[in-house]
Amino acid sequence: MTEVSVAKEDVAATGDLVVLKSVNKHFGALHVLQDIDLTIARGEVVVVIGPSGSGKSTLCRAINRLETIDSGTIVLDGKPLPDEGKELARLRADVGMVFQSFNLFAHKTVLENVMLGQVKVRKTEKKKAEEKARKLLDRVGVANQADKYPAQLSGGQQQRVAIARALAMEPKVMLFDEPTSALDPEMINEVLEVMQQLARDGMTMIVVTHEMGFARSAANRVVFMADGRIVEEAVPDQFFSNPRSDRAKDFLSKIL
Ligand code: ADP
Ligand code: MG
């Protein structure tokens, strides 16, 4: 039996949406992802925390192949991620990504930003794409900003547009890489609330964040990374009240 069909059966049996097995990645001499095994079930919200430089962003970027990996496998909804080609583009479209910097197209309106991927990648008809974009902008609370350009919006509004844009692709999983780190403090909650609602609606989410309140209330599981490894995984209550590893204890003592 080939490795591919084994992976498919695994997923079908468990409902796992994202499965990383023995994933390794180097940047030169730096072993930035070390034997990462991580399984994310459909509808699960996993918060990834850890010190700066521990490999959290690289992990996210590997999951949608913005970074290649050196060894191991990443399986997305039963399909192993290939290194390149049309199949990669298809699978990548199933992964919504929201970064620290909002990455909106500056020369497009808010509405156009949310329509673009639908029309170009999903080949949705313009009228339908616009309808959906307006619905999503309403859902994230910026419907009245549709005709503005990103620079005319606050950081919190821009990040909510970025979330709407990602959702417009109907992703199977959403990756958030420190989505509130670049925001002024008074805008953090409006973005976290949208994410909370998304979690309640059943979206599968991987969230890198330093917002421990969000981790406590929204996460099904906390994954703690240090030095390129997953050091500890636990439900939030257990992780925050009773971390097992010294690395996690040390990290929590600094941020809480
Ligand atoms: P985190 O998101 O947890 O802060 P990163 O995944 O961004 O960590 O980075 C992990 C390590 O890999 C860091 O030491 C970082 O400097 C290094 N790194 C990240 N991207 C690159 C790159 N493109 N080239 C070389 N080193 C990189
Ligand atoms: Mg990072």
Side-chain angles (χ1 to χ4, degrees), residues 104-141:
L104 296 173
F105 300 111
H107 56 290
K108 302 265 182 208
T109 66
V110 162
L111 183 69
E112 287 164 349
N113 263 280
V114 183
M115 288 175 62
L116 204 65
Q118 299 185 63
V119 174
K120 298 254 188 236
V121 181
R122 294 294 195 206
K123 308 292 178 206
T124 309
E125 189 190 317
K126 268 201 166 163
K127 195 161 173 286
K128 283 215 168 121
E130 178 176 340
E131 260 171 44
K132 186 158 154 202
R134 289 194 187 279
K135 263 191 206 146
L136 285 167
L137 289 171
D138 188 44
R139 183 166 163 197
V140 301

mmCIF file of all heavy atoms in Angstrom, residues 104-141:
data_model
loop_
_atom_site.group_PDB
_atom_site.id
_atom_site.type_symbol
_atom_site.label_atom_id
_atom_site.label_comp_id
_atom_site.label_asym_id
_atom_site.label_seq_id
_atom_site.Cartn_x
_atom_site.Cartn_y
_atom_site.Cartn_z
ATOM 1 N N LEU A 104 -3.524 43.717 2.597
ATOM 2 C CA LEU A 104 -4.594 43.997 1.630
ATOM 3 C C LEU A 104 -3.985 44.660 0.406
ATOM 4 O O LEU A 104 -2.903 45.252 0.485
ATOM 5 C CB LEU A 104 -5.641 44.919 2.262
ATOM 6 C CG LEU A 104 -6.400 44.335 3.450
ATOM 7 C CD1 LEU A 104 -7.282 45.404 4.095
ATOM 8 C CD2 LEU A 104 -7.228 43.131 3.031
ATOM 9 N N PHE A 105 -4.678 44.542 -0.727
ATOM 10 C CA PHE A 105 -4.205 45.225 -1.924
ATOM 11 C C PHE A 105 -4.541 46.704 -1.787
ATOM 12 O O PHE A 105 -5.715 47.081 -1.759
ATOM 13 C CB PHE A 105 -4.848 44.634 -3.177
ATOM 14 C CG PHE A 105 -4.542 43.179 -3.351
ATOM 15 C CD1 PHE A 105 -5.524 42.218 -3.198
ATOM 16 C CD2 PHE A 105 -3.243 42.761 -3.634
ATOM 17 C CE1 PHE A 105 -5.237 40.863 -3.345
ATOM 18 C CE2 PHE A 105 -2.945 41.414 -3.780
ATOM 19 C CZ PHE A 105 -3.938 40.463 -3.628
ATOM 20 N N ALA A 106 -3.495 47.541 -1.745
ATOM 21 C CA ALA A 106 -3.664 48.963 -1.421
ATOM 22 C C ALA A 106 -4.441 49.713 -2.489
ATOM 23 O O ALA A 106 -5.166 50.663 -2.199
ATOM 24 C CB ALA A 106 -2.297 49.604 -1.219
ATOM 25 N N HIS A 107 -4.306 49.282 -3.732
ATOM 26 C CA HIS A 107 -4.922 50.004 -4.847
ATOM 27 C C HIS A 107 -6.303 49.451 -5.199
ATOM 28 O O HIS A 107 -6.887 49.814 -6.209
ATOM 29 C CB HIS A 107 -3.991 49.941 -6.061
ATOM 30 C CG HIS A 107 -3.650 48.531 -6.445
ATOM 31 N ND1 HIS A 107 -2.839 47.725 -5.679
ATOM 32 C CD2 HIS A 107 -4.032 47.782 -7.501
ATOM 33 C CE1 HIS A 107 -2.744 46.530 -6.256
ATOM 34 N NE2 HIS A 107 -3.458 46.545 -7.357
ATOM 35 N N LYS A 108 -6.819 48.546 -4.378
ATOM 36 C CA LYS A 108 -8.177 48.017 -4.588
ATOM 37 C C LYS A 108 -9.054 48.449 -3.414
ATOM 38 O O LYS A 108 -8.551 48.563 -2.280
ATOM 39 C CB LYS A 108 -8.157 46.481 -4.613
ATOM 40 C CG LYS A 108 -7.250 45.898 -5.668
ATOM 41 C CD LYS A 108 -8.022 45.588 -6.925
ATOM 42 C CE LYS A 108 -7.113 44.957 -7.963
ATOM 43 N NZ LYS A 108 -7.553 45.225 -9.314
ATOM 44 N N THR A 109 -10.331 48.629 -3.683
ATOM 45 C CA THR A 109 -11.234 48.957 -2.576
ATOM 46 C C THR A 109 -11.395 47.731 -1.673
ATOM 47 O O THR A 109 -11.022 46.606 -2.034
ATOM 48 C CB THR A 109 -12.635 49.360 -3.079
ATOM 49 O OG1 THR A 109 -13.236 48.212 -3.699
ATOM 50 C CG2 THR A 109 -12.562 50.527 -4.057
ATOM 51 N N VAL A 110 -11.988 47.992 -0.519
ATOM 52 C CA VAL A 110 -12.288 46.912 0.423
ATOM 53 C C VAL A 110 -13.118 45.825 -0.266
ATOM 54 O O VAL A 110 -12.813 44.632 -0.187
ATOM 55 C CB VAL A 110 -13.015 47.506 1.648
ATOM 56 C CG1 VAL A 110 -13.737 46.432 2.442
ATOM 57 C CG2 VAL A 110 -12.020 48.275 2.526
ATOM 58 N N LEU A 111 -14.165 46.256 -0.959
ATOM 59 C CA LEU A 111 -15.030 45.290 -1.648
ATOM 60 C C LEU A 111 -14.241 44.486 -2.673
ATOM 61 O O LEU A 111 -14.345 43.255 -2.740
ATOM 62 C CB LEU A 111 -16.189 46.030 -2.337
ATOM 63 C CG LEU A 111 -17.211 45.138 -3.024
ATOM 64 C CD1 LEU A 111 -18.030 44.344 -2.006
ATOM 65 C CD2 LEU A 111 -18.142 45.962 -3.914
ATOM 66 N N GLU A 112 -13.427 45.183 -3.469
ATOM 67 C CA GLU A 112 -12.627 44.490 -4.495
ATOM 68 C C GLU A 112 -11.644 43.509 -3.861
ATOM 69 O O GLU A 112 -11.401 42.427 -4.390
ATOM 70 C CB GLU A 112 -11.868 45.518 -5.339
ATOM 71 C CG GLU A 112 -12.770 46.278 -6.306
ATOM 72 C CD GLU A 112 -12.120 47.541 -6.868
ATOM 73 O OE1 GLU A 112 -11.053 47.964 -6.376
ATOM 74 O OE2 GLU A 112 -12.703 48.121 -7.799
ATOM 75 N N ASN A 113 -11.086 43.896 -2.718
ATOM 76 C CA ASN A 113 -10.173 42.999 -2.016
ATOM 77 C C ASN A 113 -10.839 41.662 -1.687
ATOM 78 O O ASN A 113 -10.221 40.615 -1.795
ATOM 79 C CB ASN A 113 -9.666 43.650 -0.723
ATOM 80 C CG ASN A 113 -8.308 44.303 -0.891
ATOM 81 O OD1 ASN A 113 -7.283 43.631 -0.861
ATOM 82 N ND2 ASN A 113 -8.308 45.609 -1.108
ATOM 83 N N VAL A 114 -12.109 41.748 -1.290
ATOM 84 C CA VAL A 114 -12.808 40.526 -0.875
ATOM 85 C C VAL A 114 -13.362 39.763 -2.088
ATOM 86 O O VAL A 114 -13.627 38.572 -2.025
ATOM 87 C CB VAL A 114 -13.915 40.862 0.151
ATOM 88 C CG1 VAL A 114 -14.604 39.602 0.660
ATOM 89 C CG2 VAL A 114 -13.311 41.630 1.337
ATOM 90 N N MET A 115 -13.507 40.453 -3.218
ATOM 91 C CA MET A 115 -14.007 39.793 -4.427
ATOM 92 C C MET A 115 -12.909 39.100 -5.229
ATOM 93 O O MET A 115 -13.152 38.098 -5.899
ATOM 94 C CB MET A 115 -14.677 40.830 -5.343
ATOM 95 C CG MET A 115 -16.010 41.335 -4.842
ATOM 96 S SD MET A 115 -16.643 42.652 -5.913
ATOM 97 C CE MET A 115 -16.819 41.788 -7.495
ATOM 98 N N LEU A 116 -11.715 39.660 -5.156
ATOM 99 C CA LEU A 116 -10.650 39.300 -6.099
ATOM 100 C C LEU A 116 -10.354 37.795 -6.170
ATOM 101 O O LEU A 116 -10.362 37.206 -7.254
ATOM 102 C CB LEU A 116 -9.373 40.066 -5.731
ATOM 103 C CG LEU A 116 -8.381 40.257 -6.864
ATOM 104 C CD1 LEU A 116 -8.984 41.133 -7.955
ATOM 105 C CD2 LEU A 116 -7.097 40.910 -6.327
ATOM 106 N N GLY A 117 -10.079 37.193 -5.036
ATOM 107 C CA GLY A 117 -9.735 35.767 -5.014
ATOM 108 C C GLY A 117 -10.887 34.902 -5.504
ATOM 109 O O GLY A 117 -10.683 33.903 -6.191
ATOM 110 N N GLN A 118 -12.084 35.307 -5.127
ATOM 111 C CA GLN A 118 -13.264 34.543 -5.569
ATOM 112 C C GLN A 118 -13.331 34.499 -7.089
ATOM 113 O O GLN A 118 -13.590 33.458 -7.686
ATOM 114 C CB GLN A 118 -14.544 35.218 -5.094
ATOM 115 C CG GLN A 118 -14.723 35.350 -3.615
ATOM 116 C CD GLN A 118 -16.108 35.940 -3.337
ATOM 117 O OE1 GLN A 118 -17.120 35.328 -3.662
ATOM 118 N NE2 GLN A 118 -16.154 37.121 -2.758
ATOM 119 N N VAL A 119 -13.115 35.662 -7.720
ATOM 120 C CA VAL A 119 -13.242 35.757 -9.179
ATOM 121 C C VAL A 119 -12.069 35.073 -9.865
ATOM 122 O O VAL A 119 -12.236 34.279 -10.786
ATOM 123 C CB VAL A 119 -13.342 37.238 -9.613
ATOM 124 C CG1 VAL A 119 -13.332 37.359 -11.128
ATOM 125 C CG2 VAL A 119 -14.607 37.868 -9.027
ATOM 126 N N LYS A 120 -10.843 35.374 -9.365
ATOM 127 C CA LYS A 120 -9.636 34.883 -10.057
ATOM 128 C C LYS A 120 -9.354 33.410 -9.763
ATOM 129 O O LYS A 120 -8.966 32.670 -10.665
ATOM 130 C CB LYS A 120 -8.408 35.698 -9.625
ATOM 131 C CG LYS A 120 -8.501 37.167 -9.988
ATOM 132 C CD LYS A 120 -7.595 37.497 -11.157
ATOM 133 C CE LYS A 120 -7.555 38.986 -11.381
ATOM 134 N NZ LYS A 120 -7.915 39.426 -12.696
ATOM 135 N N VAL A 121 -9.486 33.005 -8.515
ATOM 136 C CA VAL A 121 -9.099 31.639 -8.147
ATOM 137 C C VAL A 121 -10.293 30.700 -8.172
ATOM 138 O O VAL A 121 -10.225 29.610 -8.734
ATOM 139 C CB VAL A 121 -8.427 31.620 -6.753
ATOM 140 C CG1 VAL A 121 -8.010 30.194 -6.385
ATOM 141 C CG2 VAL A 121 -7.219 32.552 -6.729
ATOM 142 N N ARG A 122 -11.397 31.117 -7.554
ATOM 143 C CA ARG A 122 -12.577 30.244 -7.484
ATOM 144 C C ARG A 122 -13.463 30.368 -8.720
ATOM 145 O O ARG A 122 -14.461 29.660 -8.845
ATOM 146 C CB ARG A 122 -13.395 30.561 -6.235
ATOM 147 C CG ARG A 122 -12.712 30.260 -4.905
ATOM 148 C CD ARG A 122 -12.481 28.774 -4.702
ATOM 149 N NE ARG A 122 -12.158 28.461 -3.308
ATOM 150 C CZ ARG A 122 -11.452 27.398 -2.938
ATOM 151 N NH1 ARG A 122 -10.988 26.564 -3.850
ATOM 152 N NH2 ARG A 122 -11.190 27.167 -1.670
ATOM 153 N N LYS A 123 -13.127 31.339 -9.600
ATOM 154 C CA LYS A 123 -13.882 31.533 -10.857
ATOM 155 C C LYS A 123 -15.363 31.813 -10.601
ATOM 156 O O LYS A 123 -16.240 31.387 -11.376
ATOM 157 C CB LYS A 123 -13.739 30.302 -11.782
ATOM 158 C CG LYS A 123 -12.304 29.874 -12.031
ATOM 159 C CD LYS A 123 -11.549 30.884 -12.862
ATOM 160 C CE LYS A 123 -10.097 30.454 -13.065
ATOM 161 N NZ LYS A 123 -9.199 31.585 -13.306
ATOM 162 N N THR A 124 -15.624 32.504 -9.514
ATOM 163 C CA THR A 124 -17.002 32.888 -9.200
ATOM 164 C C THR A 124 -17.403 34.070 -10.076
ATOM 165 O O THR A 124 -16.594 34.961 -10.323
ATOM 166 C CB THR A 124 -17.107 33.291 -7.717
ATOM 167 O OG1 THR A 124 -16.537 32.255 -6.919
ATOM 168 C CG2 THR A 124 -18.547 33.521 -7.291
ATOM 169 N N GLU A 125 -18.619 34.053 -10.514
ATOM 170 C CA GLU A 125 -19.177 35.143 -11.306
ATOM 171 C C GLU A 125 -19.153 36.437 -10.477
ATOM 172 O O GLU A 125 -19.393 36.393 -9.268
ATOM 173 C CB GLU A 125 -20.610 34.711 -11.612
ATOM 174 C CG GLU A 125 -21.407 35.495 -12.565
ATOM 175 C CD GLU A 125 -22.860 34.995 -12.499
ATOM 176 O OE1 GLU A 125 -23.041 33.748 -12.460
ATOM 177 O OE2 GLU A 125 -23.742 35.836 -12.432
ATOM 178 N N LYS A 126 -18.899 37.567 -11.148
ATOM 179 C CA LYS A 126 -18.684 38.824 -10.414
ATOM 180 C C LYS A 126 -19.836 39.206 -9.489
ATOM 181 O O LYS A 126 -19.628 39.630 -8.357
ATOM 182 C CB LYS A 126 -18.422 39.980 -11.395
ATOM 183 C CG LYS A 126 -16.948 40.180 -11.678
ATOM 184 C CD LYS A 126 -16.670 41.582 -12.191
ATOM 185 C CE LYS A 126 -15.167 41.843 -12.127
ATOM 186 N NZ LYS A 126 -14.756 42.982 -12.940
ATOM 187 N N LYS A 127 -21.053 39.049 -10.006
ATOM 188 C CA LYS A 127 -22.217 39.460 -9.222
ATOM 189 C C LYS A 127 -22.307 38.628 -7.932
ATOM 190 O O LYS A 127 -22.566 39.154 -6.849
ATOM 191 C CB LYS A 127 -23.475 39.285 -10.072
ATOM 192 C CG LYS A 127 -24.684 39.996 -9.528
ATOM 193 C CD LYS A 127 -25.743 40.188 -10.623
ATOM 194 C CE LYS A 127 -27.033 40.751 -10.035
ATOM 195 N NZ LYS A 127 -27.794 39.756 -9.277
ATOM 196 N N LYS A 128 -22.093 37.340 -8.074
ATOM 197 C CA LYS A 128 -22.134 36.445 -6.915
ATOM 198 C C LYS A 128 -21.014 36.785 -5.945
ATOM 199 O O LYS A 128 -21.188 36.758 -4.731
ATOM 200 C CB LYS A 128 -21.991 34.992 -7.371
ATOM 201 C CG LYS A 128 -23.244 34.431 -7.965
ATOM 202 C CD LYS A 128 -23.380 32.945 -7.624
ATOM 203 C CE LYS A 128 -24.774 32.449 -7.965
ATOM 204 N NZ LYS A 128 -24.756 31.346 -8.923
ATOM 205 N N ALA A 129 -19.834 37.062 -6.524
ATOM 206 C CA ALA A 129 -18.669 37.376 -5.690
ATOM 207 C C ALA A 129 -18.939 38.645 -4.878
ATOM 208 O O ALA A 129 -18.582 38.728 -3.702
ATOM 209 C CB ALA A 129 -17.425 37.550 -6.562
ATOM 210 N N GLU A 130 -19.600 39.603 -5.527
ATOM 211 C CA GLU A 130 -19.898 40.850 -4.815
ATOM 212 C C GLU A 130 -20.905 40.611 -3.687
ATOM 213 O O GLU A 130 -20.730 41.097 -2.568
ATOM 214 C CB GLU A 130 -20.426 41.922 -5.770
ATOM 215 C CG GLU A 130 -20.771 43.198 -5.025
ATOM 216 C CD GLU A 130 -21.209 44.353 -5.913
ATOM 217 O OE1 GLU A 130 -20.908 44.334 -7.122
ATOM 218 O OE2 GLU A 130 -21.857 45.275 -5.374
ATOM 219 N N GLU A 131 -21.927 39.829 -3.986
ATOM 220 C CA GLU A 131 -22.933 39.510 -2.961
ATOM 221 C C GLU A 131 -22.280 38.879 -1.745
ATOM 222 O O GLU A 131 -22.527 39.267 -0.600
ATOM 223 C CB GLU A 131 -23.925 38.486 -3.520
ATOM 224 C CG GLU A 131 -25.237 39.063 -3.990
ATOM 225 C CD GLU A 131 -26.045 38.003 -4.724
ATOM 226 O OE1 GLU A 131 -26.115 36.858 -4.239
ATOM 227 O OE2 GLU A 131 -26.576 38.327 -5.807
ATOM 228 N N LYS A 132 -21.422 37.912 -2.026
ATOM 229 C CA LYS A 132 -20.773 37.207 -0.933
ATOM 230 C C LYS A 132 -19.826 38.133 -0.179
ATOM 231 O O LYS A 132 -19.766 38.104 1.055
ATOM 232 C CB LYS A 132 -19.988 36.027 -1.516
ATOM 233 C CG LYS A 132 -19.389 35.147 -0.478
ATOM 234 C CD LYS A 132 -19.168 33.825 -1.129
ATOM 235 C CE LYS A 132 -18.105 33.003 -0.552
ATOM 236 N NZ LYS A 132 -17.637 32.040 -1.542
ATOM 237 N N ALA A 133 -19.105 38.971 -0.924
ATOM 238 C CA ALA A 133 -18.183 39.908 -0.284
ATOM 239 C C ALA A 133 -18.943 40.828 0.666
ATOM 240 O O ALA A 133 -18.519 41.069 1.795
ATOM 241 C CB ALA A 133 -17.435 40.720 -1.339
ATOM 242 N N ARG A 134 -20.097 41.315 0.216
ATOM 243 C CA ARG A 134 -20.877 42.227 1.073
ATOM 244 C C ARG A 134 -21.371 41.514 2.323
ATOM 245 O O ARG A 134 -21.371 42.071 3.416
ATOM 246 C CB ARG A 134 -22.035 42.845 0.279
ATOM 247 C CG ARG A 134 -21.564 43.856 -0.757
ATOM 248 C CD ARG A 134 -22.692 44.700 -1.303
ATOM 249 N NE ARG A 134 -22.252 45.543 -2.410
ATOM 250 C CZ ARG A 134 -21.615 46.711 -2.269
ATOM 251 N NH1 ARG A 134 -21.350 47.187 -1.057
ATOM 252 N NH2 ARG A 134 -21.238 47.393 -3.333
ATOM 253 N N LYS A 135 -21.793 40.274 2.156
ATOM 254 C CA LYS A 135 -22.238 39.488 3.316
ATOM 255 C C LYS A 135 -21.113 39.319 4.321
ATOM 256 O O LYS A 135 -21.298 39.458 5.538
ATOM 257 C CB LYS A 135 -22.699 38.098 2.857
ATOM 258 C CG LYS A 135 -24.195 38.004 2.683
ATOM 259 C CD LYS A 135 -24.628 36.560 2.484
ATOM 260 C CE LYS A 135 -25.931 36.544 1.693
ATOM 261 N NZ LYS A 135 -26.062 35.410 0.802
ATOM 262 N N LEU A 136 -19.931 38.989 3.804
ATOM 263 C CA LEU A 136 -18.791 38.749 4.698
ATOM 264 C C LEU A 136 -18.335 40.034 5.370
ATOM 265 O O LEU A 136 -17.977 40.031 6.551
ATOM 266 C CB LEU A 136 -17.636 38.108 3.919
ATOM 267 C CG LEU A 136 -17.855 36.633 3.582
ATOM 268 C CD1 LEU A 136 -16.846 36.156 2.558
ATOM 269 C CD2 LEU A 136 -17.777 35.784 4.853
ATOM 270 N N LEU A 137 -18.365 41.131 4.629
ATOM 271 C CA LEU A 137 -17.986 42.414 5.228
ATOM 272 C C LEU A 137 -18.962 42.771 6.345
ATOM 273 O O LEU A 137 -18.574 43.313 7.381
ATOM 274 C CB LEU A 137 -17.932 43.510 4.161
ATOM 275 C CG LEU A 137 -16.743 43.384 3.192
ATOM 276 C CD1 LEU A 137 -16.887 44.383 2.045
ATOM 277 C CD2 LEU A 137 -15.412 43.588 3.913
ATOM 278 N N ASP A 138 -20.215 42.423 6.138
ATOM 279 C CA ASP A 138 -21.221 42.633 7.173
ATOM 280 C C ASP A 138 -20.912 41.749 8.385
ATOM 281 O O ASP A 138 -20.952 42.194 9.533
ATOM 282 C CB ASP A 138 -22.605 42.316 6.598
ATOM 283 C CG ASP A 138 -23.695 42.690 7.566
ATOM 284 O OD1 ASP A 138 -23.612 43.791 8.147
ATOM 285 O OD2 ASP A 138 -24.622 41.879 7.760
ATOM 286 N N ARG A 139 -20.559 40.522 8.110
ATOM 287 C CA ARG A 139 -20.275 39.568 9.191
ATOM 288 C C ARG A 139 -19.113 40.034 10.074
ATOM 289 O O ARG A 139 -19.120 39.818 11.275
ATOM 290 C CB ARG A 139 -19.963 38.213 8.558
ATOM 291 C CG ARG A 139 -19.726 37.094 9.526
ATOM 292 C CD ARG A 139 -19.774 35.770 8.772
ATOM 293 N NE ARG A 139 -19.183 34.704 9.542
ATOM 294 C CZ ARG A 139 -18.789 33.543 9.028
ATOM 295 N NH1 ARG A 139 -18.943 33.303 7.742
ATOM 296 N NH2 ARG A 139 -18.249 32.632 9.790
ATOM 297 N N VAL A 140 -18.113 40.666 9.462
ATOM 298 C CA VAL A 140 -16.974 41.141 10.268
ATOM 299 C C VAL A 140 -17.143 42.606 10.684
ATOM 300 O O VAL A 140 -16.231 43.212 11.261
ATOM 301 C CB VAL A 140 -15.618 40.948 9.543
ATOM 302 C CG1 VAL A 140 -15.377 39.478 9.217
ATOM 303 C CG2 VAL A 140 -15.522 41.809 8.286
ATOM 304 N N GLY A 141 -18.317 43.164 10.396
ATOM 305 C CA GLY A 141 -18.664 44.480 10.939
ATOM 306 C C GLY A 141 -18.099 45.683 10.196
ATOM 307 O O GLY A 141 -17.955 46.754 10.770
#
